Amino acid sequence: MHQGSHRDHEGAKKLFAMIKDVKIAMMTTADSDGQLRSRPMWNQDADEAGDLWFFVKQDAPVTNEIGRDNQVNLSYSDPSNQNYVSVSGKAEIVRDKAHIDAKWSESLKTWFPGGKDDPSIALIRVHPEKGEYWDSPNSTMLHLYGYVKAAVTGESPKTEKKAVDLGAR
């Protein structure tokens, strides 16, 4: 289904590096009434193609929402480094045992006490299409400097903001 990597160009490399160590992503879907719903999802590393994976219970509301409308948004926040990322793409539910085995870690037993053989386990694969990131200076001294500069000159501190096309290349 997904050919080629969409994480090889410079903007995409930076975006994926910024989300690599963020433990929780907020996944937004549309419910049956079209209202947007967000929920925290445990972040897995992106695969070699740049697809993002999340464990889920097969009967969770999010799986029904993705079945009706597979467009999702993922929001990542790393306030300690002043990094923020938004990724939009298409999601699909994957029930393949080989994928579950490959992505399983023992820390997931918190949500799946039956382990990786729990029959209620599924995966959500998100194929990113677009992303956007905001990267601000992260040290306390730089923030203090930015605050003082803004107060004196009226200029805001510089934040790198970039939209990234994550479509397959």
Side-chain angles (χ1 to χ4, degrees):
M1 177 175 158
H2 308 298
Q3 296 180 356
S5 176
H6 45 272
R7 64 180 288 178
D8 290 337
H9 58 88
E10 184 179 334
K13 285 180 183 178
K14 180 163 184 173
L15 183 144
F16 283 105
M18 289 173 71
I19 66 174
K20 183 179 184 329
D21 294 323
V22 177
K23 298 298 181 212
I24 304 293
M26 292 297 290
M27 180 181 287
T28 303
T29 57
D31 68 15
S32 60
D33 295 332
Q35 295 294 310
L36 299 178
R37 294 191 59 211
S38 297
R39 79 269 300 145
M41 302 291 286
W42 187 261
N43 191 34
Q44 306 285 315
D45 286 339
D47 66 17
E48 61 282 349
D51 288 340
L52 301 163
W53 294 82
F54 303 90
F55 277 85
V56 66
K57 291 190 183 261
Q58 288 185 28
D59 62 354
V62 68
T63 61
N64 293 327
E65 292 163 6
I66 289 170
R68 278 190 303 276
D69 179 354
N70 69 344
Q71 187 69 44
V72 300
N73 181 267
L74 299 166
S75 299
Y76 298 84
S77 176
D78 181 6
S80 63
N81 289 312
Q82 292 295 305
N83 292 332
Y84 306 93
V85 176
S86 176
V87 175
S88 60
K90 303 281 187 197
E92 66 179 303
I93 306 303
V94 176
R95 293 179 175 92
D96 178 66
K97 180 79 169 110
H99 278 96
I100 291 168
D101 288 346
K103 302 200 173 303
W104 179 261
S105 70
E106 284 303 306
S107 62
L108 291 164
K109 273 194 159 186
T110 302
W111 294 279
F112 304 98
K116 64 183 176 181
D117 295 319
D118 185 325
S120 71
I121 291 179
L123 289 163
I124 298 172
R125 174 181 15 207
V126 176
H127 182 68
E129 296 173 334
K130 293 182 181 179
E132 194 165 5
Y133 65 78
W134 297 261
D135 182 9
S136 301
N138 63 2
S139 78
T140 302
M141 288 305 293
L142 283 174
H143 280 292
L144 181 58
Y145 168 76
Y147 173 79
V148 171
K149 180 180 176 185
V152 172
T153 67
E155 294 179 25
S156 298
K158 300 297 180 216
T159 297
E160 180 183 2
K161 176 188 178 287
K162 184 169 184 172
V164 179
D165 180 1
L166 297 172
R169 301 206 173 273

